[in-house]
């Protein structure tokens, strides 16, 4: 699920489970962060039914936003769909993600857990500066904790 806020010039990757209360809190904080593109990968750590219902809905981004804001659950799809939840779980396993929320920044840094908007803004600024100045050996978009390259 791709969400662009403002000009979308900064990037975040978030592994989220719609059943996770800290993920809901993170979404509320992300709503106050501007100029960011958020790539959300739904994972079924607390059950597959809700992530699959969101992924298979007619508007996954809208269904996700509605659920995370405490709204109604999306209606189950009449036909089973081949949604991305299993693929997202495999990617999470490759990257060593075993809790939600997990946030990956453009400079390869990662946060396992909730961050408030101030911390998000600070970490995004640091990642942007890192990418702009080329500090370190890792290119933006690569996970430094493993050898897996991430390209949203």
């Amino acid at each position: 699920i791709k969400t662009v806020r403002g000009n979308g010039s900064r990037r975040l990757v978030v592994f989220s489970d719609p059943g996770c209360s800290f993920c809901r809190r993170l979404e509320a904080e992300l709503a106050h962060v501007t100029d960011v593109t958020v790539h959300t990968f739904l994972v079924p750590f607390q059950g597959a039914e809700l992530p699959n219902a969101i992924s298979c809905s007619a508007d996954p981004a809208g269904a996700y936003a509605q659920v995370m804001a405490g709204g109604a659950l999306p209606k189950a799809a009449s036909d089973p769909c081949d949604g991305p939840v299993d693929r997202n779980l495999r990617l999470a396993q490759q990257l060593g993600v075993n809790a939600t929320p997990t946030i990956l920044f453009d400079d390869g840094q990662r946060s396992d857990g909730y961050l408030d908007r101030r911390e998000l803004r600070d970490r995004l600024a640091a990642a942007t500066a890192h990418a702009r100045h080329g500090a370190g050996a890792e290119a933006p978009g690569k996970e430094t904790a493993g050898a897996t390259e991430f390209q949203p």
Side-chain angles (χ1 to χ4, degrees):
I1 297 172
K2 180 179 175 182
T3 306
V4 179
R5 293 188 176 92
N7 67 22
S9 60
R10 303 176 296 173
R11 287 190 313 171
L12 281 180
V13 172
V14 178
F15 284 89
S16 181
D17 186 319
C20 161
S21 63
F22 284 102
C23 297
R24 285 191 295 276
R25 288 178 59 195
L26 177 65
E27 284 301 316
E29 296 294 325
L30 284 170
H32 298 281
V33 177
T34 59
D35 299 334
V36 65
T37 299
V38 181
H39 298 273
T40 303
F41 290 81
L42 299 182
V43 290
F45 291 169
Q46 295 188 21
E49 185 176 345
L50 189 52
N52 281 321
I54 291 169
S55 295
C56 294
S57 71
D59 176 15
Y64 178 71
Q66 182 175 324
V67 166
M68 298 311 272
L73 304 178
K75 292 181 182 179
S78 56
D79 295 321
C81 81
D82 187 21
V85 174
D86 289 337
R87 180 200 68 202
N88 294 351
L89 183 58
R90 286 191 300 276
L91 178 61
Q93 291 167 339
Q94 289 174 351
L95 295 174
V97 172
N98 56 19
T100 55
T102 294
I103 307 164
L104 304 178
F105 294 87
D106 238 3
D107 62 353
Q109 296 297 310
R110 119 189 224 164
S111 173
D112 297 315
Y114 167 84
L115 297 176
D116 65 27
R117 73 188 77 159
R118 184 184 55 82
E119 184 69 18
L120 284 164
R121 287 178 183 146
D122 290 348
R123 300 278 298 265
L124 278 165
T128 301
H130 177 91
R132 192 175 297 140
H133 299 298
E138 290 294 323
K142 290 191 178 180
E143 165 65 3
T144 58
T148 305
E149 180 177 306
F150 171 73
Q151 295 293 327

